[in-house]
């Protein structure tokens, strides 16, 4: 049974999932089609799912349900999914959190892990990958990716990270990367390389 925000009222505390609180899962994503498909797929895998479409509702459900697992979208219409992670760990310290995003880069992956997420997956991803990440005990490295990032993509990610760390200042970023300013501007104006 999926509990949606519409089924909860502010006066009524959310019930813990009836069958197995150890398999409770919070999904927070503002893409309704993806959220619905993922919720159904995870229910078929034995998870008790609650869903939210944004930061405020996600924080509320994190406090009220204290799920064992959570799958959070990084960019939400009303904020950043990373802001839900400390609330989850306050409500349930052993909660395992996976961050999802369609805007994956190394800097946000590092931020997600520092905030307490156990893994970070780029969209598109499927329920099998999400379940494997949620249930991975963390004792060993996950298997290598089928399609690892290309060297061009890794370079682009590094440049983007330094650019963000320099508060998006092109001149300062170029100086730190020992790169000509115009070359850096051309790179920044291009889309990320595939793979």
């Amino acid at each position: 049974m999926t509990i949606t925000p519409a089924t909860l009222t502010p006066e009524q505390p959310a019930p813990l999932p009836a069958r197995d609180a150890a398999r409770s899962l919070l999904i927070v994503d503002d893409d309704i089609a993806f959220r619905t498909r993922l919720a159904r797929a995870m229910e078929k895998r034995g998870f008790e799912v609650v869903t939210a479409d944004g930061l405020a509702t996600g924080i509320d459900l994190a406090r009220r349900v204290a799920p064992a697992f959570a799958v959070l979208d990084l960019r939400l219409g009303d904020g950043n999914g990373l802001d839900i992670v400390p609330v989850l760990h306050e409500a349930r310290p052993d909660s395992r959190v996976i961050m999802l995003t369609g805007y994956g880069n190394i800097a946000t992956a590092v931020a997600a892990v520092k905030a307490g997420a156990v893994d970070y997956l780029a969209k598109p991803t499927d329920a099998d990958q999400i379940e494997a990440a949620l249930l991975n005990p963390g004792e060993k490295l996950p298997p290598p990716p089928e399609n690892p990032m290309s060297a061009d993509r890794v370079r682009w990610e590094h440049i983007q990270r330094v650019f963000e760390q320099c508060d998006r200042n092109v001149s300062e970023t170029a100086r730190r990367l020992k790169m000509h300013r115009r070359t850096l501007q051309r790179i920044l104006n291009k889309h990320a390389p595939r793979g």
Side-chain angles (χ1 to χ4, degrees), residues 8-16 64-65:
L8 301 174
T9 63
E11 303 81 33
Q12 171 191 9
L16 283 174
R64 293 164 70 178
V65 177

Side-chain angles (χ1 to χ4, degrees), residues 2-8 26-36 39 49-62 71-81 84 123:
T2 300
I3 300 173
T4 60
T7 63
L8 301 174
L26 170 64
I27 299 172
V28 182
D29 199 304
D30 54 4
D31 178 343
I32 189 167
F34 175 79
R35 186 176 70 241
T36 303
V49 179
V50 293
T51 65
D53 62 356
L55 180 64
T57 311
I59 287 174
D60 181 51
L61 286 174
V71 177
L72 311 174
D73 191 11
L74 183 69
R75 292 191 184 179
L76 300 167
D78 61 345
N80 190 319
I84 302 172
K123 289 181 179 177

Side-chain angles (χ1 to χ4, degrees), residues 1-192:
M1 175 187 132
T2 300
I3 300 173
T4 60
T7 63
L8 301 174
T9 63
E11 303 81 33
Q12 171 191 9
L16 283 174
R19 287 195 319 243
D20 187 1
R23 299 277 288 186
S24 56
L25 170 65
L26 170 64
I27 299 172
V28 182
D29 199 304
D30 54 4
D31 178 343
I32 189 167
F34 175 79
R35 186 176 70 241
T36 303
R37 278 193 317 271
L38 182 59
R40 286 187 193 132
M42 298 310 281
E43 283 177 337
K44 288 179 183 175
R45 289 165 171 77
F47 288 89
E48 293 291 327
V49 179
V50 293
T51 65
D53 62 356
L55 180 64
T57 311
I59 287 174
D60 181 51
L61 286 174
R63 287 186 178 125
R64 293 164 70 178
V65 177
F69 302 98
V71 177
L72 311 174
D73 191 11
L74 183 69
R75 292 191 184 179
L76 300 167
D78 61 345
N80 190 319
L82 285 175
D83 295 336
I84 302 172
V85 178
V87 176
L88 283 163
H89 286 132
E90 182 181 315
R92 185 170 182 158
D94 65 337
S95 184
R96 293 183 56 85
V97 181
I98 303 296
M99 295 302 302
L100 297 180
T101 186
Y103 308 94
N105 65 46
I106 293 169
T108 52
V110 170
V113 171
K114 282 185 178 179
V118 296
D119 208 341
Y120 179 91
L121 301 174
K123 289 181 179 177
T125 189
D126 61 26
D128 290 333
Q129 290 174 306
I130 292 170
E131 182 182 31
L134 287 171
L135 300 178
N136 181 7
E139 296 165 0
K140 61 179 184 165
L141 289 174
E146 288 293 323
N147 299 311
M149 277 196 284
S150 67
D152 288 338
R153 178 65 188 233
V154 172
R155 177 178 180 258
W156 184 86
E157 294 281 357
H158 176 68
I159 290 169
Q160 291 294 322
R161 181 174 188 208
V162 175
F163 183 56
E164 290 297 326
Q165 289 172 327
C166 292
D167 295 322
R168 303 178 70 81
N169 181 313
V170 175
S171 297
E172 179 64 15
T173 304
R175 185 185 69 75
R176 289 179 184 245
L177 291 172
K178 297 174 181 45
M179 179 182 287
H180 194 278
R181 188 176 190 282
R182 286 187 193 153
T183 303
L184 176 62
Q185 282 180 310
R186 277 194 300 273
I187 292 169
L188 292 172
N189 287 331
K190 291 182 182 177
H191 292 290

